[in-house]
Amino acid sequence: MESGFLTVILVSSFAVFSSHSGITEWDDVVLAREGMPTTLVCTDATVRGAMAINWMVKPLGVDEWKLVLSASEREEFLGRASKASMRLTDPNFKDTGVFSLFFLPKEEDSGLYSCLIKQHERKLSEKIILLAILTVTVVPAAPIPQHSTLRLIASVKPDNAVTKITWG
């Protein structure tokens, strides 16, 4: 008896545009799959001494920022992260200047993320990152019957930030 198998390669490229012509609201875009390890990169090698790092989120369409993680140069976390999986990627951030945020996002975690670095209550730098969450559904579900049609259904959230997706 022969066993059949199906190999599907999905390659995607995408472009993200602001709803304002020519003006972007963010510095970087991260496209992540729901539930997969994701890092939002934030670095500043010039920061030394007393500092505070605040990671905040603002879902698109909402006017207020919400604090998700905060830490100081003394490696004291100034509150719990808003998700159990959420942490800074480098525990030695005060010496390396790597303030990147790691977590396992869900669809509802899409939106704008702010990496705000302060020193003596003065804003040194801020980086805004748009996190878009990719969800791919395979129909029919595994196991896939031989000689059947396979459909891949993909969606990206926030859908109002992504105006063009090309699948190839």
Side-chain angles (χ1 to χ4, degrees):
M1 177 182 218
E2 288 184 42
S3 64
F5 66 91
L6 173 66
T7 302
V8 176
I9 299 173
L10 174 65
V11 178
S12 68
S13 62
F14 66 98
V16 180
F17 301 95
S18 172
S19 58
H20 308 291
S21 156
I23 300 171
T24 59
E25 300 176 24
W26 48 81
D27 303 307
D28 203 359
V29 176
V30 173
L31 178 65
R33 259 188 95 184
E34 185 173 27
M36 297 302 292
T38 302
T39 300
L40 304 181
V41 176
C42 179
T43 60
D44 189 337
T46 65
V47 180
R48 296 285 181 258
M51 74 181 86
I53 175 74
N54 291 325
W55 273 99
M56 296 174 284
V57 65
K58 181 170 100 169
L60 294 180
V62 175
D63 291 332
E64 295 181 18
W65 289 95
K66 176 184 165 192
L67 184 66
V68 293
L69 187 139
S70 182
S72 73
E73 82 284 351
R74 295 182 302 259
E75 299 179 43
E76 294 176 356
F77 285 91
L78 306 172
R80 292 188 176 268
S82 64
K83 299 180 123 333
S85 67
M86 198 171 272
R87 62 178 168 77
L88 293 177
T89 58
D90 188 352
N92 197 26
F93 63 89
K94 67 180 178 74
D95 296 325
T96 64
V98 176
F99 307 101
S100 300
L101 183 69
F102 170 88
F103 66 114
L104 304 171
K106 294 185 178 179
E107 187 175 299
E108 61 268 15
D109 295 323
S110 65
L112 296 172
Y113 283 77
S114 166
C115 171
L116 176 64
I117 302 167
K118 292 183 182 180
Q119 195 166 40
H120 306 295
E121 296 302 315
R122 189 176 56 108
K123 177 175 146 180
L124 289 181
S125 67
E126 182 175 27
K127 181 176 183 180
I128 307 291
I129 301 168
L130 172 65
L131 175 63
I133 304 297
L134 172 69
T135 305
V136 179
T137 307
V138 178
V139 178
I144 299 166
Q146 191 172 15
H147 304 293
S148 66
T149 301
L150 177 67
R151 291 180 49 203
L152 297 176
I153 303 167
S155 65
V156 176
K157 296 289 181 191
D159 55 1
N160 62 342
V162 179
T163 59
K164 179 182 176 186
I165 299 175
T166 304
W167 301 96

